Amino acid sequence: MTRTLVASKSKTVTIGFDAPFCVIGERINPTGRKKLAAELEAGDFSTVETDALEQVACGAMVLDVNAGVVYNSNPNPNETEPPLMRRMIELVQGLVDVPLCIDSSVPAALETGLAVAEGRPLVNSVTGEEERLEAILPLVRKYDVPVVAISNDDTGISEDPEVRFAVARKIVERAADHGIPAHDIVVDPLVMPVGAMATAGRQVFTLVRRLREELGVNTTCGASNISFGLPHRHGINAAFLPMAITAGMTSAIMNPIRQVEMEAIKAANFLMNNDPNGAEWIRFARVLDAVEAGTPFPEAARAAQAAGGGRGGRRGGRRRSA
């Protein structure tokens, strides 16, 4: 069974076919969040702190950290993003004990993040574009970390699933040339919006099965892409995620403070026999009971975490993949 190991100093998370579905919290990302972007440029990290603690309480197993703020005072991300990434990673890993996913399109920001991250973070991301392959794969090899591989290349994002599969294969093969094993590649096959492409769901389910069976890799996606532009998106997401899990998807970059999606994932883990004796479902059911009694989901989740002894922290050392 393919297992991708990511770790903080104190906690190791396994992304794998026989492991619970890995929820990667997406909220520490200023893209499309003008208020957060303005706060970060002003040196205000209060929302980052809140998002880190809340996402972990609600069930995030890994936190994505993106420092892609376009500064009004300096629009050059090669200068502004690396120091911001450093500060954000140091802050977040001081608050919570889950592994991090270092998310940037700027190679210098990725390397800065890798230099200060404790444990074994996930890198987000590499694509099939030649320039990106040559910039990112040596970093992945140097720091011995896993990487998200996005199935687009120099021709852009193809609507043809055969093309997206071929790009994924290319990345896996090029990674092998750098000494990076397939179990350290987590492929994002690119989920298209079902509102624009009626076959988007079926496409990605087929792709995930092929990626698992033919390339032996773990998979991820931006889960909310499937419902982009549609009303009542969370119901669609909550249906999509268990179906993707059944097809073999092993992680998703998503918003864990949405109760309906997290409920669907917890139930899917139980039904897939990745929740021994239903212990996690029973714990989560207590959170749902509190929500039914009128407590907001994030607040109920934080109370359950506190009652169970959950906390943030910084412990342990860099892990290596087996």
Side-chain angles (χ1 to χ4, degrees):
M1 285 290 186
T2 298
R3 294 182 176 91
T4 304
L5 302 183
V6 291
S8 64
K9 285 192 72 175
S10 63
K11 181 176 290 185
T12 298
V13 171
T14 300
I15 303 173
F17 305 151
D18 57 349
F21 189 74
C22 181
V23 175
I24 304 171
E26 69 180 8
R27 289 187 57 77
I28 305 176
N29 186 337
T31 305
R33 300 181 70 188
K34 292 182 179 179
K35 179 177 178 290
L36 176 57
E39 287 178 359
L40 291 173
E41 185 170 3
D44 178 359
F45 293 87
S46 56
T47 297
V48 172
E49 293 177 2
T50 299
D51 284 344
L53 293 168
E54 191 169 72
Q55 288 184 103
V56 172
C58 289
M61 302 159 70
V62 176
L63 290 185
D64 188 88
V65 178
N66 182 299
V69 177
V70 179
Y71 281 45
N72 292 317
S73 57
N74 181 357
N76 184 354
N78 293 300
E79 296 177 359
T80 60
E81 196 166 328
L84 181 59
M85 179 68 81
R86 173 187 292 272
R87 188 167 178 186
M88 290 173 70
I89 286 178
E90 290 177 340
L91 172 66
V92 172
Q93 68 189 5
L95 290 170
V96 296
D97 62 0
V98 300
L100 302 183
C101 176
I102 304 172
D103 182 359
S104 181
S105 61
V106 178
L110 288 177
E111 181 148 33
T112 296
L114 286 166
V116 300
E118 299 166 330
R120 191 172 197 257
L122 178 64
V123 169
N124 187 9
S125 58
V126 69
T127 68
E129 298 164 289
E130 286 300 320
E131 183 178 354
R132 192 74 178 169
L133 288 166
E134 292 304 313
I136 304 305
L137 292 181
L139 279 179
V140 171
R141 176 58 178 167
K142 176 182 176 181
Y143 288 92
D144 184 25
V145 291
V147 64
V148 173
I150 301 178
S151 298
N152 68 281
D153 60 12
D154 297 281
T155 64
I157 299 173
S158 175
E159 293 187 358
D160 185 344
E162 291 291 336
V163 173
R164 301 206 301 278
F165 180 83
V167 173
R169 183 190 295 276
K170 170 187 172 181
I171 297 172
V172 171
E173 291 172 349
R174 292 287 290 275
D177 291 341
H178 286 266
I180 301 164
H183 64 248
D184 274 340
I185 309 295
V186 181
V187 173
D188 181 347
L190 291 170
V191 175
M192 304 295 188
V194 71
M197 180 188 294
T199 59
R202 288 166 53 187
Q203 272 195 10
V204 78
F205 303 147
T206 299
L207 269 170
V208 166
R209 291 188 188 98
R210 289 192 67 192
L211 290 163
R212 172 174 174 160
E213 294 167 4
E214 298 181 37
L215 299 185
V217 294
N218 282 305
T219 45
T220 195
C221 70
S224 65
N225 288 352
I226 192 69
S227 62
F228 182 79
L230 293 172
H232 299 287
R233 296 180 62 184
H234 303 296
I236 296 172
N237 298 346
F240 168 75
L241 284 161
M243 294 174 75
I245 290 169
T246 303
M249 187 169 283
T250 48
S251 68
I253 301 171
M254 56 176 286
N255 184 353
I257 70 169
R258 296 295 183 180
Q259 175 192 330
V260 64
E261 285 98 326
M262 291 304 295
E263 186 172 354
I265 288 170
K266 299 289 188 183
N269 282 336
F270 193 9
L271 291 167
M272 294 293 288
N273 197 28
N274 289 327
D275 177 9
N277 302 312
E280 181 59 25
W281 175 255
I282 292 168
R283 188 204 68 79
F284 188 73
R286 297 190 184 105
V287 175
L288 298 180
D289 289 343
V291 171
E292 288 183 359
T295 305
F297 175 61
E299 184 179 332
R302 285 196 299 271
Q305 181 191 49
R311 56 169 178 77
R314 301 166 58 189
R315 308 284 185 268
R318 184 175 292 277
R319 309 296 177 89
R320 300 295 179 185
S321 173

